[in-house]
Amino acid sequence: MSELKRPSVLAGLIAEGRADPITAEERAIVAEIRAFYEKKYGHGGREPRQTRKSA
């Protein structure tokens, strides 16, 4: 199954001039947080959680 990419609300606000685009420094911070999360939890956080089966 291919992953659908939704349009960003922020992208629309940036296009309208109502928000500032993300800076290179902010993009690097996000990349570090994402890498830490993926290393700790083993995935990008977009996979569905496994449901716990009751006994």
Side-chain angles (χ1 to χ4, degrees):
M1 182 175 11
S2 65
E3 187 175 319
L4 297 175
K5 190 165 185 173
R6 296 182 302 172
S8 167
V9 173
L10 186 56
L13 294 174
I14 292 169
E16 294 172 8
R18 295 174 38 198
D20 294 329
I22 189 169
T23 65
E25 182 180 358
E26 292 167 330
R27 195 174 308 277
I29 292 168
V30 170
E32 287 179 28
I33 293 169
R34 181 173 288 127
F36 173 80
Y37 185 92
E38 290 177 357
K39 181 178 179 183
K40 183 173 181 176
Y41 298 106
H43 57 79
R46 301 225 184 258
E47 297 173 10
R49 287 190 199 178
Q50 293 180 348
T51 57
R52 185 181 228 174
K53 295 183 179 180
S54 59

